[in-house]
C-alpha cells in the first residue's frame, strides 16, 4: 500500500548531507582538486584522533548543547562548531586550516573508503548506516518493520511497528543532527 511505498522511499532517500560528514546522501564527497592532495594515512589518523578529542571536550560539548529557537539556526551552529573543531584538529597536527585543506579532510572517506581503521576513527564513518539502495529492489523485498529500530531523543529504542496504530494514521518524522 501507500505506507509501504513511503517507507521504502524514506529508507532509500536517507543519507548524510552535511559536508563535514564527508558524504552527500549515500555518496562520498570528492572535491575537485583533492585527488592530488590526499592527507597521508598516518597524518590522517592523528587528525581524526585529535578531532575526536576536541569533539568530546567539555567546551565543544557545551557548544553542541546550546539551544536555539529555530532548527535551521541550530543546524548551522552545529556545522560551524564542527568546521571550527576540524580546522583546529588540522592546525594541531601541522596542517593549514584553509578551505582547501578542509575539503581535503572532508574527502578522506572517499580516498580511504576501504580502510576500516580510518573509517572507525572518523566519527561519521563509525556511525554511518546509510546505504545506496535500489528502490525497486526494496519495494519487492521491503525491510521488516518489526526489526526496524527507531530511537527517541533520550536514547530509548523501539521497533517501528510499535509506533503504528491500526486505528489511526501515523506520521513518522525522522532526522539526524549529526
Amino acid at each position: 500500500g501507500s505506507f509501504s511505498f513511503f517507507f521504502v522511499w524514506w529508507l532509500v532517500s536517507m543519507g548524510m548531507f552535511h559536508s563535514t560528514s564527508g558524504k552527500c546522501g549515500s555518496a562520498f564527497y570528492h572535491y575537485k582538486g583533492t585527488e592530488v592532495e590526499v592527507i597521508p594515512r598516518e597524518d590522517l589518523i592523528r587528525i581524526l584522533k585529535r578531532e575526536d578529542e576536541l569533539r568530546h571536550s567539555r567546551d565543544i560539548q557545551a557548544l553542541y548543547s546550546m539551544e536555539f529557537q529555530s532548527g535551521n539556526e541550530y543546524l548551522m551552529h552545529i556545522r560551524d562548531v564542527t568546521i571550527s573543531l576540524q580546522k583546529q584538529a588540522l592546525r594541531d597536527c601541522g596542517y593549514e586550516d584553509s578551505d582547501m585543506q578542509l575539503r581535503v579532510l572532508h574527502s578522506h572517506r572517499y580516498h580511504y573508503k576501504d580502510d576500516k581503521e580510518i573509517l572507525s576513527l572518523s566519527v561519521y564513518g563509525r556511525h554511518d548506516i546509510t546505504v545506496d539502495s535500489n528502490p525497486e529492489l526494496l519495494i519487492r523485498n521491503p525491510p521488516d518493520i518489526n526489526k526496524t529500530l527507531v530511537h527517541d531523543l533520550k536514547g530509548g529504542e523501539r521497533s517501528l511497528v510499535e509506533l503504528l496504530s491500526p486505528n489511526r494514521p501515523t506520521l513518522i518524522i525522522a532526522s539526524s543532527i549529526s
Side-chain angles (χ1 to χ4, degrees), residues 144-160:
D144 182 351
I145 63 172
N146 290 301
K147 295 179 182 174
T148 301
L149 299 178
V150 292
H151 302 266
D152 63 29
L153 294 176
K154 296 180 181 180
E157 191 175 89
R158 296 168 67 178
S159 75
L160 181 59

Side-chain angles (χ1 to χ4, degrees), residues 39-50 117-118 121:
I39 297 172
R41 188 177 188 282
E42 293 307 313
D43 289 352
L44 182 58
I45 288 171
R46 284 192 357 262
I47 293 166
L48 293 174
K49 286 180 178 180
R50 181 63 182 140
E117 181 181 13
I118 294 291
L121 291 172

Side-chain angles (χ1 to χ4, degrees), residues 93-117:
C93 293
Y95 282 81
E96 292 180 24
D97 66 358
S98 66
D99 289 342
M100 181 58 177
Q101 195 61 57
L102 196 59
R103 286 192 290 274
V104 172
L105 176 62
H106 291 168
S107 297
H108 81 271
R109 291 180 64 199
Y110 173 84
H111 296 295
Y112 292 96
K113 61 183 161 260
D114 297 319
D115 189 319
K116 290 184 189 317
E117 181 181 13

Side-chain angles (χ1 to χ4, degrees), residues 1-132:
S2 62
F3 173 76
S4 294
F5 174 75
F6 173 76
F7 182 65
V8 169
W9 171 83
W10 171 70
L11 282 174
V12 173
S13 66
M14 294 302 291
M16 294 183 164
F17 290 98
H18 208 283
S19 62
T20 59
S21 72
K23 282 185 102 173
C24 181
S26 60
F28 293 115
Y29 272 110
H30 181 219
Y31 292 98
K32 283 187 176 183
T34 63
E35 57 276 336
V36 293
E37 291 192 46
V38 176
I39 297 172
R41 188 177 188 282
E42 293 307 313
D43 289 352
L44 182 58
I45 288 171
R46 284 192 357 262
I47 293 166
L48 293 174
K49 286 180 178 180
R50 181 63 182 140
E51 180 183 345
D52 252 5
E53 290 170 5
L54 292 168
R55 186 180 303 275
H56 290 100
S57 72
R58 190 175 303 243
D59 291 342
I60 296 296
Q61 287 301 305
L63 289 171
Y64 278 150
S65 299
M66 291 176 65
E67 292 185 29
F68 289 84
Q69 294 295 319
S70 158
N72 284 337
E73 282 181 51
Y74 178 68
L75 290 174
M76 295 303 107
H77 171 74
I78 293 298
R79 179 204 60 201
D80 294 344
V81 169
T82 302
I83 287 171
S84 176
L85 78 89
Q86 288 176 334
K87 285 183 172 187
Q88 181 66 47
L90 285 167
R91 284 192 306 272
D92 291 353
C93 293
Y95 282 81
E96 292 180 24
D97 66 358
S98 66
D99 289 342
M100 181 58 177
Q101 195 61 57
L102 196 59
R103 286 192 290 274
V104 172
L105 176 62
H106 291 168
S107 297
H108 81 271
R109 291 180 64 199
Y110 173 84
H111 296 295
Y112 292 96
K113 61 183 161 260
D114 297 319
D115 189 319
K116 290 184 189 317
E117 181 181 13
I118 294 291
L119 294 178
S120 73
L121 291 172
S122 167
V123 68
Y124 295 106
R126 278 195 306 270
H127 301 291
D128 184 1
I129 59 170
T130 60
V131 292
D132 191 10

